């Protein structure tokens, strides 16, 4: 019980340290309103391209899920950078808590915030574009696994960012690659084979394939969801391995800040 309470405290303080300086209005603008315009923008483009009578449910749901990238990708990606900037990275590395537990503890509230943003996006999709979809366990599982995968990828990219002074450059470049290849607004089947292979290892592609099949009446989506869960686990393992390698390098060269 003490371990669970400790994880909750770590998650709360990590989340609070990231947003304490923001007013409630600025917080809502950054995490909800700004990504929401992206949903409206891409949905209107799809509506204009495919016609007003086209089935835009997959497009709306996909753009609603991708709204989590601000909280789950950028904020989780910046966790390790903020630890370094505030001078607490040494304490985190030398802590008795395992890195795996720390990753989970620090990311919980960001993931919850991302899920709230996604479901708010679905509500806006229903309000503005008449989204009509049945909420099933398969749909919820696809959304949850997609958000978790984005969070795990953000954690990995943030760990890689410790190698440089400007981690935001890496986060932004990776985000642009992710947006282009995840298959939300552009079908990956039209990409060159090389980029199609890369997209197979990015979050959301398999969960969106599962949701697409679900909307078309095919309930056999377990294999796609397992692929998405595997991608999430892959990024968590990569984060753990990366931090361990960087820790050893920093001990050799006596630079715990890594760069």
């Amino acid at each position: 019980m003490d371990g669970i309470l400790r994880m909750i405290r770590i998650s709360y303080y990590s989340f609070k340290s990231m947003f304490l300086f923001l007013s409630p209005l600025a917080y809502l603008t950054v995490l909800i309103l700004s990504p929401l315009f992206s949903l409206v923008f891409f949905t209107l483009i799809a509506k204009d391209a495919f016609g007003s009578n086209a089935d835009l449910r997959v497009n709306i749901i996909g753009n609603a899920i991708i709204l989590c990238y601000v909280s789950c990708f950028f904020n989780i990606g910046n966790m390790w950078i903020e630890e370094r900037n505030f001078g607490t990275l040494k304490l985190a590395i030398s802590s008795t808590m395992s890195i795996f537990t720390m990753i989970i503890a620090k990311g919980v509230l960001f993931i919850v915030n991302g899920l709230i943003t996604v479901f708010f996006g679905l509500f806006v999709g229903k309000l503005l574009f008449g989204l009509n979809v049945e909420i099933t366990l398969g749909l919820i599982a696809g959304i949850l696994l997609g958000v978790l995968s984005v969070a795990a990828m953000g954690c990995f990219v943030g760990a890689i960012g410790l190698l440089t002074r400007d981690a935001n450059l890496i986060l932004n470049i990776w985000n642009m690659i992710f947006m282009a290849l995840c298959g939300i607004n552009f079908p990956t089947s039209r990409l060159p084979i090389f980029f199609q292979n890369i997209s197979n290892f990015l979050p959301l592609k398999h969960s969106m394939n599962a949701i697409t099949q679900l909307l078309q009446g095919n309930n056999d989506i377990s294999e796609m969801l397992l692929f998405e869960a595997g991608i999430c686990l892959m990024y968590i393992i990569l984060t753990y391995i990366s931090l361990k390698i960087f820790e050893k390098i920093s001990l050799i060269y006596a630079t715990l800040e890594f760069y």
Side-chain angles (χ1 to χ4, degrees), residues 128-147:
L128 297 181
F129 302 106
L131 175 65
N132 185 18
V133 61
E134 182 182 358
I135 303 298
T136 62
L137 287 177
L139 179 63
I140 293 173
I143 293 173
L144 180 59
L145 286 173
V147 170

Side-chain angles (χ1 to χ4, degrees), residues 94-115:
S94 60
S95 170
T96 56
M97 179 180 286
S98 70
I99 291 178
F100 181 77
T101 307
M102 193 178 297
I103 290 170
I104 296 174
K106 284 179 170 293
V108 168
L109 282 182
F110 292 109
I111 292 170
V112 171
N113 189 87
L115 285 170

Side-chain angles (χ1 to χ4, degrees), residues 23-179:
S23 66
L25 180 60
Y27 171 82
L28 291 173
T29 302
V30 170
L31 290 181
I32 295 180
L33 292 182
S34 180
L36 205 59
F37 283 114
S38 173
L39 181 148
V40 174
F41 174 74
F42 284 110
T43 303
L44 288 175
I45 287 179
K47 189 174 183 179
D48 183 67
F50 301 116
S52 57
N53 295 324
D55 187 0
L56 300 176
R57 291 180 299 170
V58 173
N59 185 275
I60 295 171
I61 293 173
N63 279 287
I65 295 175
I66 213 168
L67 295 182
C68 74
Y69 77 92
V70 174
S71 180
C72 292
F73 182 72
F74 282 105
N75 291 331
I76 289 182
N78 274 313
M79 283 192 314
W80 306 112
I81 314 304
E82 292 301 314
E83 293 280 3
R84 183 178 68 188
N85 292 342
F86 289 119
T88 53
L89 183 61
K90 300 177 181 67
L91 300 177
I93 293 297
S94 60
S95 170
T96 56
M97 179 180 286
S98 70
I99 291 178
F100 181 77
T101 307
M102 193 178 297
I103 290 170
I104 296 174
K106 284 179 170 293
V108 168
L109 282 182
F110 292 109
I111 292 170
V112 171
N113 189 87
L115 285 170
I116 292 172
T117 307
V118 170
F119 284 105
F120 183 71
L122 292 175
F123 171 74
V124 171
K126 181 176 180 62
L127 196 65
L128 297 181
F129 302 106
L131 175 65
N132 185 18
V133 61
E134 182 182 358
I135 303 298
T136 62
L137 287 177
L139 179 63
I140 293 173
I143 293 173
L144 180 59
L145 286 173
V147 170
L148 289 174
S149 295
V150 173
M153 182 180 69
C155 201
F156 169 65
V157 178
I160 297 296
L162 288 173
L163 293 171
T164 69
R165 288 183 180 272
D166 189 7
N168 283 319
L169 177 64
I170 295 177
L171 284 168
N172 279 290
I173 291 174
W174 195 291
N175 179 57
M176 291 299 103
I177 294 172
F178 166 62
M179 289 288 194

